Amino acid sequence: LIFPGREWNETVILSRSMGATISIVGAGRVGRTLGRRLHELGWTIDAVVTRSRATARSAVRSIGAGRAHGALTRQVLAADLVLIATPDDAIASVATALARMGGAEWKGRVVLHTSGALDRSALQPLSVQGAATGSLHPLQTFTGRGTPRLEGLVFTVEGDRRALAMARKIALALGGVPVTIDGRNKPAYHAAGAFVAGHLLAVLEAATQMFMRIGYSRRRAAQALLPLAHQMLENFQRHGPRVAWTGPLSRGDFATVGKHLEALQQFPREFQEAYAALTRLGARTLARNPQAVLAKLDRVLRGARGGKS
Ligand SMILES: NC(=O)c1ccc[n+]([C@@H]2O[C@H](COP(=O)([O-])OP(=O)(O)OC[C@H]3O[C@@H](n4cnc5c(N)ncnc54)[C@H](OP(=O)(O)O)[C@@H]3O)[C@@H](O)[C@H]2O)c1
């Protein structure tokens, strides 16, 4: 197999990996998406484990390959690689249960999980048994509706030597860009991702609900707000944060910020709290002189709080 533009050794690794078999433990939104694409690329999918026969069968149908298991099973040991894509909170207990099932048979195998916030230490019971452990996090939002493109996506990877090599290999096979980070930085890395995926969504929905409160339909609100959001993103991408920054704070219109805070009092308190926190964040991250802007802003914020009581 030839992948133009890739280094020779990565091409060789990719070719060799086609023989690798993968078991997937936890086949929901992420497990199915990665499993399906890897299967399409010629990797062999072995055990597919969820918490019920019904969901496991549905996962196998969605992936297009694999053997369905409705509970953890030793069968996962038949694969060279085990990919754990359960919710974060289940990873450690799954690792403990698998370590108990396989014991020393884990030696030489590779186990990766797909959590953004956790690092390989969540798989410690397996590494104690001799497995190479790491994590492979696709920085994308998977909703289960439609499949986001994996090509060009950053896959954040970390792990011990063999696990890291396997994580990079998978990311490259999927057309992604592997970026290695120190496992200790994963919570901060994931919090940054949450700002963009989750918090941006909450902000967009808050603005939508405010529009609806003053008479817009949801459809009209989307029609009004989405071009604004798209243009801001395009400005950020093309010109960077400073050029993309518009709005009262960027102009020093502190009185307008005060009016916003006053208007927000008619909404649930989280609206005003978020507005205040995000305005301060804007000053901190976007202003040329954050201290000066924050000092003025804090006077306005204190005034708004005073006006409330
Ligand atoms: N969704 C995203 O946008 C996204 C993006 C990047 C990374 N991630 C990470 O990927 C991982 C999976 O997230 P997801 O959104 O794909 O989760 P999900 O859609 O909720 O799927 C979780 C899967 O794990 C199975 N499961 C739960 N507990 C289990 C257990 N104890 N033993 C075996 N299987 C178990 C579930 O079984 P059932 O099917 O039977 O319920 C389901 O198949 C998480 O670590 C998450 O942080 C998620």
Side-chain angles (χ1 to χ4, degrees), residues 140-226:
Q140 184 52 283
T141 171
F142 298 86
T143 62
R145 297 268 191 98
T147 308
R149 278 174 62 79
L150 299 176
E151 289 78 13
L153 216 66
V154 163
F155 284 74
T156 301
V157 295
E158 59 82 37
D160 53 39
R161 194 181 52 79
R162 289 187 51 238
L164 187 60
M166 179 59 95
R168 289 183 61 82
K169 197 189 294 186
I170 293 175
L172 288 166
L174 292 167
V177 180
V179 176
T180 305
I181 67 169
D182 186 320
R184 289 169 297 189
N185 290 329
K186 285 206 71 178
Y189 152 80
H190 195 240
F195 260 122
V196 174
H199 302 334
L200 219 50
L201 174 64
V203 165
L204 201 52
E205 178 55 17
T208 302
Q209 291 180 13
M210 289 173 72
F211 267 41
M212 288 167 73
R213 174 80 77 90
I214 59 171
Y216 284 60
S217 65
R218 177 168 281 279
R219 199 165 138 261
R220 278 276 178 272
Q223 196 178 14
L225 294 167
L226 285 175

Side-chain angles (χ1 to χ4, degrees), residues 25-32 49-52 55-56 59 71-72 84-91 93-94 113-118 136-143 190:
V25 178
R29 292 166 291 194
V30 169
R32 290 178 189 205
V49 181
T50 64
R51 289 173 299 182
S52 76
T55 55
L72 287 177
I84 300 180
T86 63
D88 291 9
D89 288 352
I91 294 173
S93 60
V94 163
H113 69 68
T114 59
S115 165
L118 304 176
L136 164 80
H137 180 250
L139 190 60
Q140 184 52 283
T141 171
F142 298 86
T143 62
H190 195 240

Side-chain angles (χ1 to χ4, degrees), residues 243-293:
V243 170
W245 196 35
T246 60
L249 196 61
S250 73
R251 295 185 290 267
D253 281 342
F254 291 96
T256 303
V257 174
K259 279 195 192 317
H260 290 175
L261 288 162
E262 212 180 296
L264 283 161
Q265 284 178 14
Q266 60 183 299
F267 296 93
R269 58 185 273 226
E270 293 77 13
F271 283 67
Q272 202 194 47
E273 286 170 359
Y275 187 94
L278 289 169
T279 307
R280 295 192 88 253
L281 186 65
R284 168 65 64 198
T285 57
L286 296 165
R288 281 187 198 284
N289 184 346
Q291 292 303 351
V293 177

Side-chain angles (χ1 to χ4, degrees), residues 6 13 17 64 102 144 172 230 264 281:
R6 290 214 166 110
I13 289 169
S17 70
L172 288 166
H230 284 302
L264 283 161
L281 186 65

